[in-house]
Amino acid sequence: MNTPIQVFNSYDRQADLEAFHNTKLGVKGLADAGVSQLPRIFCHDNQSAASLISSPAAAAEEKLAGKTDAKNLTIPVIDLQDSHKNRVKIINEIKDACKNWGFFQILNHGVPLSVMKEMMAGIRRFHEQEEEMKKDLYSRDFQRKILFNTNFDLFKGVSTNWRDTLTVVVAPRGVEEEEIPEVSREAIVEYSRMVKELGDILLEYLGEGLGVGSNRLKELGCGDGMVMFCHYYPPCPQPEMTWGTTDHTDSSFLTVLLQDELGGLQVRHEDRWVDVHPIEGAFVVNMGDFMQLMSNDTFLSVNHRVLANKRGPRISVASFFRCNLAPENGLVFGPLKELRSEENPDIYRETSIKDYVAHYYHKGLNGISALEHFKL
Ligand code: OGA
Ligand code: NI
């Protein structure tokens, strides 16, 4: 048998990537084969991820400069309980979070904990089922409504990430129920329906927070498209040498993330990396590039990454709200007109989702925002 390990003895990156791709087993295939040394394709250039997390010396310097230790920083947690009574407060909290962090967590959002847990269990079952079933779904054709692969940007990214992903298109014209593998079908159907509704509610808050009215973003179609990236991060033998997910911003309007209790997600804030601590029952919400573009930099699409970990698997589900990528979709988005003034001239040119996503996928995850390309 041609095991994945034998393939990586010499380093011809392109050949190694192809060999890895051809196994159709993703990173989990390597973990299952018991690799103890990370194949070269996964190794990033940085000496150590840990060194980027703030050395003691850097921390001392920051303290002198009056900066709060990154360890003591947390992204805002916003309680949506009694949303009618507390509407103004909630909107203000969301607005502040979007301006200052681009990230926040929400509690009491209406999706039951049981549904969240069952989704994570269902995604775990998918990734841990028999290999043949997954191989059948293995593809890099993102026109498909459901596909399994590893590293969507495998042949573009600077270093390969320690992560596999099941991608599911929910709307518009989402995947047919029968096409969803049975091991996770019910979980995916129920979870995606609820998160889609939550997306609309969040867009209302965001519209109000921007001062353009609660229906504006929905009417523009920001909630019409939804795609879920259901990630599986196997235990990693040398976590300091690779990434779970390379530093990036999301291409969406809005992302709603479910993560398990292992942690590892970090957000860039005032030149430091801040841990997003898992809270049971909470969703992590973040602004994507299209929200930053439409809000003309009022709301921020912030860099984030996931550390690899010796412990695992880590499961997470990122639900991206973004329009569909079908070629006939000529929808174009630019900074909202009502936000435009002499002091606030447009920063970005109008851009179609299609062009934008093409650029995003072409460049791969490299830590540089795809938005740069669309500045006026
Ligand atoms: C993403 C992402 C974070 C995570 O899929 O864009 O940032 O915790 N995921 O998996
Ligand atoms: Ni992301």
Side-chain angles (χ1 to χ4, degrees):
M1 202 182 83
N2 191 10
T3 67
I5 317 171
Q6 289 168 317
V7 166
F8 298 113
N9 286 340
S10 64
Y11 193 58
D12 170 349
R13 184 170 174 84
Q14 191 60 26
D16 288 1
L17 290 174
E18 269 161 33
F20 175 53
H21 166 73
N22 288 333
T23 67
K24 300 189 176 182
L25 293 176
V27 171
K28 183 167 185 301
L30 296 171
D32 290 348
V35 293
S36 55
Q37 277 212 323
L38 220 55
R40 268 292 296 276
I41 52 168
F42 293 95
C43 300
H44 54 49
D45 295 337
N46 308 314
Q47 289 294 306
S48 144
S51 72
L52 299 173
I53 302 173
S54 240
S55 63
E61 216 168 89
E62 284 178 357
K63 216 170 198 167
L64 276 177
K67 277 192 181 177
T68 328
D69 190 339
K71 280 205 167 41
N72 297 330
L73 288 172
T74 50
I75 68 168
V77 179
I78 300 174
D79 190 344
L80 304 185
Q81 185 83 46
D82 299 324
S83 57
H84 203 66
K85 193 175 88 201
N86 296 328
R87 195 160 180 90
V88 176
K89 177 167 170 277
I90 291 172
I91 290 166
N92 280 329
E93 286 179 4
I94 289 182
K95 183 167 96 179
D96 285 348
C98 294
K99 283 185 169 180
N100 298 320
W101 287 86
F103 263 82
F104 54 94
Q105 302 208 55
I106 48 172
L107 292 167
N108 297 309
H109 39 66
V111 181
L113 181 60
S114 57
V115 172
M116 301 168 85
K117 284 192 161 165
E118 186 39 36
M119 179 64 174
M120 267 176 315
I123 295 313
R124 184 165 182 164
R125 283 195 298 274
F126 171 81
H127 286 278
E128 293 182 355
Q129 71 183 325
E130 254 183 68
E131 289 174 348
E132 289 309 312
M133 308 283 276
K134 289 195 318 186
K135 279 185 173 175
D136 281 349
L137 268 188
Y138 192 92
S139 169
R140 298 199 169 273
D141 176 6
F142 282 92
Q143 298 297 328
R144 287 175 59 166
K145 308 279 178 176
I146 185 157
L147 61 139
F148 162 68
N149 67 27
T150 178
N151 288 261
F152 77 91
D153 60 344
L154 184 65
F155 294 100
K156 303 281 163 93
V158 263
S159 69
T160 307
N161 291 170
W162 198 257
R163 179 188 79 251
D164 298 331
T165 305
L166 170 70
T167 302
V168 184
V169 174
V170 176
R173 296 187 296 279
V175 65
E176 299 291 337
E177 264 184 56
E178 315 78 70
E179 289 177 66
I180 306 175
E182 217 177 328
V183 280
S184 33
R185 186 180 299 155
E186 249 181 77
I188 288 180
V189 169
E190 182 161 37
Y191 177 84
S192 58
R193 184 176 55 77
M194 290 190 169
V195 171
K196 177 92 179 31
E197 281 171 21
L198 176 61
D200 278 341
I201 294 170
L202 289 169
L203 285 172
E204 287 182 17
Y205 287 132
L206 293 169
E208 289 197 42
L210 274 180
V212 298
S214 60
N215 284 324
R216 180 81 159 113
L217 298 175
K218 279 201 299 183
E219 279 165 9
L220 284 167
C222 302
D224 292 350
M226 175 175 160
V227 56
M228 298 196 297
F229 277 51
C230 311
H231 301 304
Y232 185 93
Y233 300 83
C236 179
Q238 294 177 301
E240 64 293 341
M241 290 168 71
T242 189
W243 298 112
T245 303
T246 305
D247 177 1
H248 68 284
T249 60
D250 291 352
S251 64
S252 53
F253 297 106
L254 170 73
T255 305
V256 175
L257 180 88
L258 170 66
Q259 64 165 338
D260 69 12
E261 69 290 349
L262 279 186
L265 173 63
Q266 298 186 320
V267 170
R268 196 79 181 148
H269 181 72
E270 292 173 356
D271 297 334
R272 281 164 299 173
W273 287 105
V274 175
D275 292 318
V276 178
H277 300 291
I279 303 175
E280 190 177 65
F283 282 115
V284 178
V285 178
N286 67 282
M287 302 299 104
D289 288 352
F290 266 91
M291 191 64 78
Q292 178 164 333
L293 180 137
M294 288 168 71
S295 72
N296 209 32
D297 282 358
T298 308
F299 288 174
L300 302 178
S301 172
V302 165
N303 282 67
H304 52 286
R305 67 184 186 187
V306 180
L307 303 179
N309 194 337
K310 269 200 172 347
R311 294 198 300 147
R314 174 180 186 269
I315 313 278
S316 68
V317 178
S319 297
F320 296 106
F321 290 90
R322 66 179 195 205
C323 293
N324 70 331
L325 317 179
E328 75 270 13
N329 180 355
L331 281 183
V332 164
F333 293 87
L336 293 168
K337 287 189 296 293
E338 53 270 58
L339 299 178
R340 190 183 296 156
S341 67
E342 220 160 284
E343 306 83 64
N344 186 30
D346 288 358
I347 296 168
Y348 302 99
R349 58 187 159 93
E350 288 200 323
T351 305
S352 74
I353 300 260
K354 189 166 149 270
D355 288 353
Y356 180 83
V357 173
H359 175 68
Y360 190 94
Y361 276 51
H362 172 75
K363 108 187 150 53
L365 299 186
N366 62 357
I368 297 166
S369 168
L371 273 180
E372 287 300 317
H373 187 72
F374 298 94
K375 279 194 166 154
L376 279 170

